Amino acid sequence: MAVSDIEDSYAEYADWMYRLEWLDRIVTGRYRQARFGDVEGRVLDVACGTGTNFRYLPDTVDLVGIDISPEMLANAAEQLTELGIDGTLQEMDAQELEFSDDSFDAVISALSTCTFPDPIAALREMERVCKPDGTIRLVEHGRSDIGPLATYQEWRADAHYAKTGCRWTQEPREIVSRAGLRVRDIDTGLFGTFTTFEITPDRGDER
Ligand SMILES: C[S@@+](CC[C@H](N)C(=O)[O-])C[C@H]1O[C@@H](n2cnc3c(N)ncnc32)[C@H](O)[C@@H]1O
């Protein structure tokens, strides 16, 4: 799917996703808390969606959220108000971030690389805008390491992609590795369907 198709798809689901966010948090909250709970300074949330990550960030951070979908961002704005957070939101393509190099102390993103048409470009953009002594944190989903669950995911993958633009059997480790990012810590959970990363920016590396 092209970026515009994905934008249309999320326009349809944005309000529904925000209403059911509590359910998402029951499943993903512990992973978000563990990866995002200690970031500091100026923080960019890439593909922030309805702002599910926001409540897991320390209240001292200077938060900027970007997403391609105005409808998701409208819900993210409501989330900021509800949580009393003074953040900034911008409509932007994660694959071409409109920020200078080294703009952020931390770049975070959750459940996003599965929907980017070019996830490698988006990951490299995250690295570009992150300060050299900053940190990139990801919470991603992918193929389970439990056979029957992986088989079910494979069976549903095409229909799921056609409906949502999400490649839910994508392997996050493979994407991060192909982007040439330097992983400092990695963890998995929920039958291998969640993989979380702490990444150290290293733009000097040969790719
Ligand atoms: C599954 S949602 C995840 C939202 C949020 N990060 C979360 O954890 O709940 C995927 C998000 O990626 C956004 N997205 C997809 N492609 C994008 C792109 N090229 N640039 C920016 N955002 C994009 C969608 O609009 C959607 O909000």
Side-chain angles (χ1 to χ4, degrees):
M1 277 191 200
V3 170
S4 57
D5 298 320
I6 290 164
E7 204 180 324
D8 289 347
S9 159
Y10 279 97
E12 195 179 326
Y13 293 122
D15 292 348
W16 175 81
M17 285 179 82
Y18 191 45
R19 274 200 303 277
L20 291 183
E21 197 194 274
W22 61 273
L23 204 55
D24 178 319
R25 291 202 305 268
I26 290 173
V27 180
T28 65
R30 78 191 79 164
Y31 305 110
R32 296 179 196 262
Q33 181 65 53
R35 271 303 173 222
F36 306 146
D38 66 341
V39 295
E40 296 174 339
R42 190 165 187 239
V43 177
L44 175 66
D45 186 349
V46 175
C48 65
T50 59
T52 312
N53 289 333
F54 297 169
R55 71 184 57 229
Y56 301 100
L57 301 172
D59 55 15
T60 48
V61 304
D62 175 10
L63 174 63
V64 179
I66 71 102
D67 200 281
I68 201 73
S69 162
E71 290 80 6
M72 294 294 268
L73 287 171
N75 284 290
E78 206 173 312
Q79 177 105 254
L80 284 178
T81 305
E82 277 180 18
L83 295 173
I85 298 174
D86 185 20
T88 309
L89 301 172
Q90 284 180 252
E91 196 179 321
M92 203 180 290
D93 185 347
Q95 302 162 143
E96 293 175 49
L97 292 174
E98 298 161 28
F99 300 108
S100 314
D101 297 358
D102 310 338
S103 294
F104 294 92
D105 300 291
V107 179
I108 69 167
S109 196
L111 315 183
S112 64
T113 58
C114 55
T115 58
F116 299 145
D118 187 347
I120 308 297
L123 287 172
R124 289 185 178 162
E125 279 292 87
M126 291 184 209
E127 185 175 48
R128 182 184 65 76
V129 302
C130 190
K131 291 178 183 171
D133 60 349
T135 182
I136 301 167
R137 308 287 180 89
L138 306 175
V139 171
E140 290 299 318
H141 73 84
R143 190 200 319 264
S144 172
D145 51 22
I146 305 290
L149 188 48
T151 304
Y152 173 75
Q153 287 179 299
E154 290 293 353
W155 177 60
R156 291 289 305 156
D158 287 350
H160 186 70
Y161 179 73
K163 199 170 171 191
T164 65
C166 162
R167 300 177 295 271
W168 81 329
T169 53
Q170 178 172 280
E171 303 273 8
R173 282 172 198 261
E174 190 200 318
I175 298 296
V176 166
S177 161
R178 276 175 47 209
L181 302 185
R182 192 167 69 178
V183 175
R184 186 186 158 113
D185 187 49
I186 191 163
D187 205 0
T188 56
L190 205 68
F191 313 115
T193 56
F194 282 91
T195 309
T196 79
F197 301 85
E198 178 181 348
I199 289 162
T200 306
D202 187 13
R203 295 203 303 272
D205 272 0
E206 288 285 323
R207 290 188 179 132

